[in-house]
Amino acid sequence: MTSVPRNGNAYADTCPTRMVLDRIADKWAVLVLGLLGDGPVRFNQLRRQIEGISQKMLSQTLKSLERDGLVSRRAIATVPVTVEYSITPLGQTLSATVDNLRIWAETHMEQVVQSQQQYDAAAA
């Protein structure tokens, strides 16, 4: 087992913190954590609520979040098997922070689009 420094330095290219930042900066992870913050959610419900995510991408995102200890998975013995995901205590410490990214994006998207249009017009 590799030893991980207790305090990271995300500005150092070899710091494992970058892997964590990469995971939590992913748009799908932000959206999944935001939904799970309200309570356990079944896989298919997540898929319906997050428009545009494929089954494969949702599965990969959930596995990565589970591996990082941010999400837990529970299989329910039904036919077919029902799978439910919930946020872990560690994930709860992150959920509000990343949900603020979603809220910021929703609140400021119009300004961002205007800035992009101005930039593109000036560059043309």
Side-chain angles (χ1 to χ4, degrees), residues 14-71:
T14 59
C15 183
T17 303
R18 288 190 179 190
M19 180 273 306
V20 174
L21 289 174
D22 185 51
R23 176 95 62 245
I24 63 175
D26 174 73
K27 70 180 173 184
W28 301 125
V30 169
L31 296 175
V32 167
L33 288 171
L35 289 175
L36 294 179
D38 294 332
V41 181
R42 293 181 177 179
F43 181 90
N44 286 325
Q45 184 180 356
L46 283 170
R47 196 165 151 221
R48 283 190 299 273
Q49 287 185 274
I50 304 173
E51 294 179 11
I53 193 168
S54 68
Q55 181 171 337
K56 179 181 178 182
M57 183 54 65
L58 178 56
S59 180
Q60 287 175 350
T61 300
L62 288 164
K63 284 178 185 177
S64 295
L65 292 171
E66 184 180 9
R67 182 173 182 255
D68 293 343
L70 303 172
V71 166

Side-chain angles (χ1 to χ4, degrees), residues 45-120:
Q45 184 180 356
L46 283 170
R47 196 165 151 221
R48 283 190 299 273
Q49 287 185 274
I50 304 173
E51 294 179 11
I53 193 168
S54 68
Q55 181 171 337
K56 179 181 178 182
M57 183 54 65
L58 178 56
S59 180
Q60 287 175 350
T61 300
L62 288 164
K63 284 178 185 177
S64 295
L65 292 171
E66 184 180 9
R67 182 173 182 255
D68 293 343
L70 303 172
V71 166
S72 64
R73 178 185 188 275
R74 181 172 77 109
I76 303 164
T78 58
V79 177
V81 174
T82 302
V83 179
E84 182 178 82
Y85 292 89
S86 57
I87 198 161
T88 64
L90 179 62
Q92 287 175 335
T93 66
L94 176 63
S95 181
T97 301
V98 297
D99 203 43
N100 282 330
L101 291 173
R102 178 194 56 83
I103 292 166
W104 184 92
E106 290 175 346
T107 303
H108 295 92
M109 194 59 231
E110 188 174 317
Q111 292 170 277
V112 171
V113 169
Q114 286 175 353
S115 294
Q116 290 173 344
Q117 290 170 344
Q118 290 172 351
Y119 180 91
D120 292 346

